[in-house]
Amino acid sequence: MKLKFSYFLLAFTAFLLSSCDPENVLKPIEKDTKLLFEWDDAKTQTITFSTASISSSSAKVIITGSAATITDGGYYSVSGQMNNGQLIVDAKDQVVKIQFNGITMNNDTTSPLFIRDAKKTIIFLKTGTTNTFTDGAAYTHVGDPNAAIFSKDYLGFTGEGNLVVNGNYNDAISSDDMLYIDNGNFSVKSIDDGIRGKDSLIVNNGNINVICSTGHALKSDNVLKPGKGYLKIAGGTLSLTSSDGDGIHTSKRLIIDGGNITARSLNSQALRSDSLVHISGGTSMVNASKKGIESPFITISGGTTTINSVKAGVNATYGLGGTTNDGSMLILSNGNLYINSDDGTGIDSSGDIIMSGGTVVVQGPSDKDKEGINYNGKFTISGGFLIASGPQSVLSVKAPGTESSQNSVRLTSSTMATNLINIQDASGKSIVTFKPIRSAYGLLLSSPELKTGDYKVFKGGTYEGGTTVNGYSKDGTYSNGTLVKTFTVTDKLTTISF
């Protein structure tokens, strides 16, 4: 039965991802990416900005006052410094490659870098250089461009140099097409969105630090074109902070295959998608956010995800509210998920929860109107390890249904508080050792090691050696606890109190 269910879950997950992935986002984005991100010094032409003038070695560059316009494809190395200057790309159907070789430019009234028309524009950040683009707080026009670096077409970044972008008007870096970050070191500040790729935003590598106020740190938001509006992170180190927006926000799929991500949103979600969040690798850390992950469909099949939130840690929902099953779903098949929810439900699904593998540790809230785990549909467990705590509320921690093929035990106690809890089998082997961070009333445990048979519950005591993550300790030694309960597992769900 368990094997059949596992096959079903794998097939269903594959269907869910493929149906939400009509453009094969889970596969390589484009075959010519390698060629796109290659530089040829022998073909390089120069554009040099200075305090009072602009010069270029190329006849393809038109200089008008404080603006230089690239009118044809090719390789251009840009350097120098200019106040109220502008670099424009207007090369229809051409591939333009621009090397930032120590360029500092600001513009008080419009975008200092405006890619008006090109098939694709690739920015190369030269090793050892720092390049800075800053716009003003008020533009003299409305509409496009509306970011310090703005492109109407495909925009890519690569190299090992540094790029500093200060978006004082609206966004910092924005593309109305695909925005692809192959590599580079980014320091981005913005009023609205930090880095936006309307059709898609892909991060392959790099060090990316984004701080924004009202918008989202990373965003893809094309809601009109099928298959557009997705965001994928395959690698890199990202630090994403927003005051009032999301750390990452997508209209369609948010796919995390790798990388080291730290996301923080003071008044919204750290990771948000209107369609699907899929995490299969990497390390994702949500720090001090109002909410952790929110989307109608959430799948976690790998990586390590740690969430420290004020409200809900993981919330699978369409956002309709109420207690009716809205068709949303949380699927947990592998990886590690650690949740510490201060004042909201740790794991919440307005639809179903399906768990077949991985490690899930939930520190539930202090709010007695919330739970460690809650759902409106069904909660089915066929594998993996789960430990979750909850407050003295009506449900505390909502248990899985009898459709589950793996055993679970739900414990409640008015004396549990923040005491160390240890459960051992009849031979004295520890099944779990867990310490609630906040005063807990309920615990839910599900483990492949929880077989039919007799068990003992100990409270207090000490734990030495091993590792402890989010209150869950393993590979060490438990001792000196007080025996508070014995119980026997005979069904898929065993409920006890002490």
Side-chain angles (χ1 to χ4, degrees), residues 219-276:
K219 183 172 84 169
S220 185
D221 61 339
N222 193 330
V223 298
L224 300 177
K225 293 184 178 180
K228 304 297 184 180
Y230 63 82
L231 194 152
K232 177 182 177 181
I233 298 174
T237 299
L238 299 88
S239 176
L240 311 171
T241 302
S242 177
S243 295
D244 295 325
D246 301 333
I248 301 177
H249 182 96
T250 69
S251 299
K252 306 292 175 60
R253 290 90 63 216
L254 168 57
I255 298 166
I256 299 175
D257 286 343
N260 189 334
I261 305 165
T262 301
R264 183 186 185 197
S265 175
L266 299 180
N267 295 300
S268 194
Q269 297 92 7
L271 308 179
R272 164 71 197 182
S273 171
D274 296 336
S275 174
L276 165 73

Side-chain angles (χ1 to χ4, degrees), residues 58 144-145 183 234 304 359 386 422-423 442 460 472 474 492:
S58 174
D144 297 338
N183 204 357
T304 296
T359 296
L386 167 69
N422 174 266
I423 298 178
Y472 166 50
K474 64 177 183 176
K492 296 304 176 186

Side-chain angles (χ1 to χ4, degrees), residues 6 70 83 94 117 195 281 306 327 338 351 357 396 426 472-473 490:
S6 297
I70 298 172
N83 293 325
Q94 298 296 308
D117 195 357
I195 302 176
T306 303
Y338 303 107
S396 185
Y472 166 50
S473 300
T490 57

Side-chain angles (χ1 to χ4, degrees), residues 113-159:
L113 174 55
F114 177 28
I115 301 167
R116 179 183 288 133
D117 195 357
K119 182 178 181 180
K120 292 181 179 180
T121 300
I122 312 298
I123 305 297
F124 292 78
L125 304 174
K126 188 175 181 179
T127 302
T129 66
T130 296
N131 308 276
T132 304
F133 288 80
T134 304
D135 65 2
Y139 282 17
T140 55
H141 60 81
V142 295
D144 297 338
N146 60 0
I149 295 178
F150 182 87
S151 177
K152 295 183 72 67
D153 302 297
Y154 179 107
L155 177 60
F157 292 90
T158 192

